Amino acid sequence: MNVKHITALSSAAAVVLLSTSGAFAQPGVATGAVNVRTGPGTSYSKVGTLSAGELVDVKDCQGSWCFVDRNAGTDGWVSANYLQPAAAQPAPADPDIPFNFGVTVGPGGPSFSFGIGDAPPPAPVPPPAPATPKVCFFKSTNFAGGSFCVSPGDSNPVLAGSWNNSISSISVEGGAQVTVCKNAGYGGSCATIITSKASLSSYNNTISSFQAL
């Protein structure tokens, strides 16, 4: 492909930054011959022509123009009136049905949807809510056996009773992390864990204090 395209987020206009990777591309098809241009408008230079029935990946839309990734030929912008979803294309004699797109951005990244006709596009599926930060300790490997969980900021300088020297796996969620030490009072050998550990190697059944971060 010959043209790389990135849209910028503007405070003055509802322009959503989208990845140009295939993860957010939507398959489309040209309903008729249409010019491919370097930007979203007829004032931009022509760099090629889509032929009727040509399959493309629709990467981004601004107003009535969409940026397409072509299997053959130069990538660029085309009028959305000449595009339809590849799975629901009408006959080529119907080039004026609008090609509608919807985008929302959440903690998990952008969600992308599209539809046809004058009705607004369907609402994108919202991304899952981010996990609550927490750290959980387990008495057995693979996150099994007895357990307890703490939040960032919690600490214990002396693991008392049956929990002292009896932790065998640790899970961390939501960006939390934890520093564990082999001696009470955060002494001895210590390690900071930032991803869940199904087994603790040399720290198995040797932890006597911790600080959740």
Side-chain angles (χ1 to χ4, degrees), residues 1-5 19-23 25-29 36 50 54-60 66-78 83:
M1 301 300 172
N2 299 324
V3 176
K4 297 297 182 182
H5 167 70
S19 167
T20 57
S21 70
Q26 297 295 318
V29 63
V36 181
L50 288 186
E54 182 175 343
L55 294 174
V56 297
D57 284 332
V58 181
K59 293 296 188 69
D60 184 19
C66 294
F67 184 85
V68 298
D69 185 343
R70 304 174 65 192
N71 292 325
T74 304
D75 302 346
W77 294 85
V78 300
L83 294 173

Side-chain angles (χ1 to χ4, degrees), residues 146-166:
S147 66
F148 72 94
C149 299
V150 297
S151 300
D154 293 339
S155 62
N156 192 332
V158 182
L159 279 170
S162 64
W163 282 102
N164 186 45
N165 294 330
S166 64

Side-chain angles (χ1 to χ4, degrees), residues 80-172:
N81 287 337
Y82 288 85
L83 294 173
Q84 291 296 327
Q89 55 179 326
D94 249 346
D96 295 326
I97 297 178
F99 193 18
N100 298 321
F101 287 83
V103 180
T104 58
V105 176
S111 297
F112 197 51
S113 67
F114 64 92
I116 59 174
D118 294 324
V125 178
T132 301
K134 66 178 180 179
V135 178
C136 296
F137 302 90
F138 299 84
K139 285 194 173 183
S140 299
T141 59
N142 297 313
F143 318 114
S147 66
F148 72 94
C149 299
V150 297
S151 300
D154 293 339
S155 62
N156 192 332
V158 182
L159 279 170
S162 64
W163 282 102
N164 186 45
N165 294 330
S166 64
I167 294 171
S168 294
S169 57
I170 298 174
S171 70
V172 293

